């Protein structure tokens, strides 16, 4: 993405670390350099405050109370749904189902849609860079229905092979389930084009947006996908809350997947009838405070602007890529032409876990391992990588601290530099 005019690529700092209280704490007596944003992001004061204020001033159960506080809590919850609609540019708020996160959103579609619509011999296309959350739910659905999965291969840069994809789109394909952005490699997949191709072949498309919503503008109508899943905690919001976008006609034709309060119209021991979507998929008391916190997180990123966030992280990714490439013995894994702020790498002579542990003593928090994407590691013939993943509060100092700590680890291990 090209940097807009107001963005000064030289600054590489959005100047908002102070909004995140945790970033001023020390770890092992060092400044916390938090580069594990692909796993979860830190929370701004406004999100922490919104959740606290909900419990202090607005707490009640939703959708069934006649009293003022319950109606107030219901309003806040439904305003949260409208905020998610706005974030994704969905056509209607009732296309947004609240879930615990991406994992639950994908399981909802796998169990409700796939288990009720697929037959033996039907096919689901996945890709070689999927998170386990976008693999295992489909395997479970296939075990129950007799459908099978097919996998789009990756090239050496970690990009999907679109020629292969086109050839795989045969008449038995019912669904394509792909990540918007790979958490292990940073690859940004061409989801709009892939959706168009899938639709031409008569298949639906689910996009796993866990790594996308916090880092670039997302427009589900422009992508044209049928389902889109994300988690609040990777978007500067609380854990335990996320959402599924689903085209309304599809949601309305899907059976419930969990039964309980709030998802029914009438209940008798002979037979129950179900509420319309999205309530049909929100059985039981939901994470109301989580929705309030998520709404505050969405306000936070929309106030800054996702274009601006993408430009900042893109500039920092360039800076970090060049800095790591300049360190001998470091090899980047995932070098797609279209890439988000994820630096996955291996260092000669140092196991990723050892590297992560040593960096931690310098206050540098990165992730080491397979990143819940074991097939990616198998594809590149490595047990795992070290991964630094960027967020809007990271700056050039954080990258410099990472590079310095890698150098210190190489010295400690006596690895040739
Ligand atoms: C984190 C992640 C998930 C799972 O998200 P949860 O919040 O753990 O449900 C799925 N897909 C991708 C690409 C992810 O990065």
């Amino acid at each position: 993405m090209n940097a807009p005019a107001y963005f000064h690529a030289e600054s590489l700092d959005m100047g908002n670390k102070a909004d995140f209280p945790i970033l001023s704490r020390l770890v092992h007596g060092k400044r916390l350099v938090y580069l594990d944003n692909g796993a979860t992001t830190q929370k701004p004061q406004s999100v922490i405050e919104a959740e606290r204020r909900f419990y202090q001033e607005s707490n009640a159960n939703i959708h069934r109370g006649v009293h003022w506080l319950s109606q107030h809590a219901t309003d806040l919850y439904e305003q949260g749904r409208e905020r998610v609609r706005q974030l994704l540019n969905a056509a209607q708020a009732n296309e947004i189902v609240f879930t615990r996160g991406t994992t639950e959103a994908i399981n909802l579609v796998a169990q409700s849609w796939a288990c009720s619509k697929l037959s033996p011999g039907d096919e689901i296309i996945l890709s070689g860079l999927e998170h386990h959350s976008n693999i295992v739910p489909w395997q479970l659905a296939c075990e129950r229905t007799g459908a099978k999965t097919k996998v789009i291969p990756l090239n050496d840069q970690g990009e999907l092979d679109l020629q292969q994809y086109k050839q795989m789109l045969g008449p038995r394909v019912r669904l394509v389930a792909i990540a918007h952005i790979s958490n292990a490699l940073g690859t940004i997949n061409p989801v709009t084009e892939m959706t168009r191709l899938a639709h031409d072949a008569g298949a639906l498309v689910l996009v796993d947006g866990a790594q996308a919503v916090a880092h670039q503008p997302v427009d589900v109508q422009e992508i044209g996908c049928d389902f889109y899943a994300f988690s609040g905690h990777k978007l500067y919001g609380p854990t335990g809350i996320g959402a599924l976008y689903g085209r309304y006609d599809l949601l309305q034709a899907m059976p419930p997947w969990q039964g309980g309060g709030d998802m029914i119209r009438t209940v008798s021991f002979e037979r129950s009838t179900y509420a319309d979507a999205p309530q049909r998929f929100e059985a039981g008391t939901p994470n109301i405070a989580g929705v309030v916190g998520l709404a505050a997180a969405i306000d936070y990123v929309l106030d800054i602007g996702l274009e601006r966030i993408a430009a900042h992280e893109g500039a920092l990714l360039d800076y970090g890529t060049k800095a790591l490439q300049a360190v001998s013995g470091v090899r980047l894994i995932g070098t797609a032409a279209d890439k988000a702020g994820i630096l996955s790498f291996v260092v000669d002579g140092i196991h990723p876990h050892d590297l992560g542990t040593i960096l931690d003593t310098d206050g540098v928090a990165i992730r080491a391992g397979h990143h819940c994407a074991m097939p990616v590691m198998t594809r590149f013939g490595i047990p795992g990588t070290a991964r630094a993943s960027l967020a809007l509060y990271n700056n050039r100092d954080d990258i410099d601290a990472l590079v310095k700590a890698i150098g210190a680890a190489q010295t400690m291990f006596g690895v040739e530099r």
Side-chain angles (χ1 to χ4, degrees):
M1 190 171 296
N2 291 327
Y6 53 77
F7 176 75
H8 304 290
E10 282 313 299
S11 76
L12 296 184
D13 193 338
M14 304 240 292
N16 53 1
K17 268 193 200 285
D19 293 346
F20 296 78
I22 204 170
L23 296 180
S24 59
R25 71 158 292 166
L26 302 181
V27 169
H28 304 305
K30 305 279 172 53
R31 175 177 83 87
L32 170 62
V33 176
Y34 189 77
L35 292 168
D36 194 16
N37 298 290
T40 199
T41 52
Q42 299 302 347
K43 319 307 172 199
Q45 188 66 50
S46 62
V47 168
I48 298 167
E49 182 58 22
E51 269 214 71
R52 190 197 60 79
R53 203 170 346 105
F54 173 77
Y55 283 123
Q56 191 157 314
E57 298 174 6
S58 310
N59 177 59
N61 210 333
I62 57 165
H63 287 154
R64 48 200 151 203
V66 292
H67 58 84
W68 183 86
L69 208 53
S70 171
Q71 284 165 13
H72 176 54
T74 305
D75 287 346
L76 292 175
Y77 184 78
E78 293 304 328
Q79 281 164 23
R81 202 186 302 279
E82 169 56 26
R83 274 297 186 292
V84 174
R85 184 208 66 74
Q86 198 186 336
L87 177 77
L88 301 180
N89 193 34
Q92 321 167 33
N94 61 11
E95 296 182 312
I96 306 301
V97 182
F98 284 117
T99 65
R100 283 193 295 124
T102 308
T103 303
E104 191 176 62
I106 296 172
N107 276 279
L108 190 166
V109 179
Q111 291 186 37
S112 170
W113 181 83
C115 286
S116 66
K117 310 279 184 216
L118 299 187
S119 321
D122 282 346
E123 295 167 355
I124 297 174
I125 293 184
L126 308 176
S127 90
L129 53 64
E130 298 310 316
H131 188 283
H132 298 164
S133 288
N134 199 27
I135 300 174
V136 183
W138 306 116
Q139 291 173 332
L140 293 171
C142 286
E143 277 172 27
R144 282 173 57 181
T145 59
K148 53 186 192 223
T149 58
K150 298 206 294 197
V151 183
I152 310 166
L154 299 180
N155 67 17
D156 291 342
Q157 285 69 51
E159 299 163 324
L160 300 186
D161 182 336
L162 292 186
Q163 288 312 320
Q164 286 278 338
Y165 171 60
K166 285 178 196 162
Q167 282 163 22
M168 290 163 71
L169 281 168
R172 293 311 302 263
V173 178
R174 303 289 308 279
L175 179 79
V176 176
I178 39 164
H180 196 164
I181 296 178
S182 159
N183 67 307
L185 302 170
T187 311
I188 303 176
N189 289 322
V191 289
T192 305
E193 184 189 352
M194 292 179 76
T195 298
R196 188 177 48 73
L197 291 165
H199 285 173
D200 287 349
L204 298 184
V205 176
L206 176 141
V207 178
D208 169 355
Q211 294 294 338
V213 287
H215 306 287
Q216 60 174 53
V218 168
D219 183 331
V220 291
Q221 296 189 76
E222 192 181 301
I223 295 169
C225 58
D226 303 284
F227 301 103
Y228 194 97
F230 78 92
S231 301
H233 72 99
K234 292 180 180 177
L235 177 66
Y236 312 103
T239 53
I241 188 69
L244 172 73
Y245 156 81
R247 246 177 49 211
Y248 195 71
D249 58 324
L250 289 169
L251 290 179
Q252 202 47 346
M254 282 159 52
W257 76 305
Q258 290 176 340
D262 251 15
M263 54 73 71
I264 46 84
R265 186 167 289 136
T266 61
V267 174
S268 73
F269 284 108
E270 290 70 43
R271 183 180 133 71
S272 298
T273 58
Y274 309 118
D276 288 335
Q279 278 75 28
R280 185 186 306 161
F281 303 106
E282 294 179 359
T285 301
N287 184 355
I288 308 164
V291 168
V292 170
L294 174 59
I298 293 172
D299 284 345
Y300 185 80
V301 292
L302 293 184
D303 281 352
I304 295 173
L306 280 155
E307 296 276 1
R308 214 179 133 213
I309 294 168
H312 165 70
E313 292 177 7
L316 206 54
L317 174 70
D318 282 350
Y319 180 76
T321 302
K322 291 191 183 104
L324 286 178
Q325 279 169 341
V327 183
S328 74
V330 171
R331 179 162 61 99
L332 284 167
I333 306 293
T335 48
D338 201 8
K339 207 184 145 178
I342 287 174
L343 292 155
S344 239
F345 57 95
V346 290
V347 179
D348 288 345
I350 311 181
H351 192 280
H353 279 127
D354 293 333
L355 184 69
T357 306
I358 297 167
L359 264 52
D360 179 57
T361 62
D362 281 326
V364 178
I366 61 157
R367 182 140 295 229
H370 56 64
H371 318 297
C372 297
M374 282 190 193
V376 173
M377 303 302 135
T378 307
R379 163 66 180 77
F380 286 92
I382 48 179
T385 69
R387 182 190 71 184
S389 46
L390 308 175
L392 55 83
Y393 40 67
N394 290 122
N395 58 22
R396 190 195 301 231
D397 289 347
D398 295 336
I399 300 288
D400 292 347
L402 169 71
V403 171
K404 187 163 167 243
I406 294 170
Q410 287 177 315
T411 303
M412 184 184 290
F413 267 69
V415 178
E416 187 93 34
R417 292 171 63 192

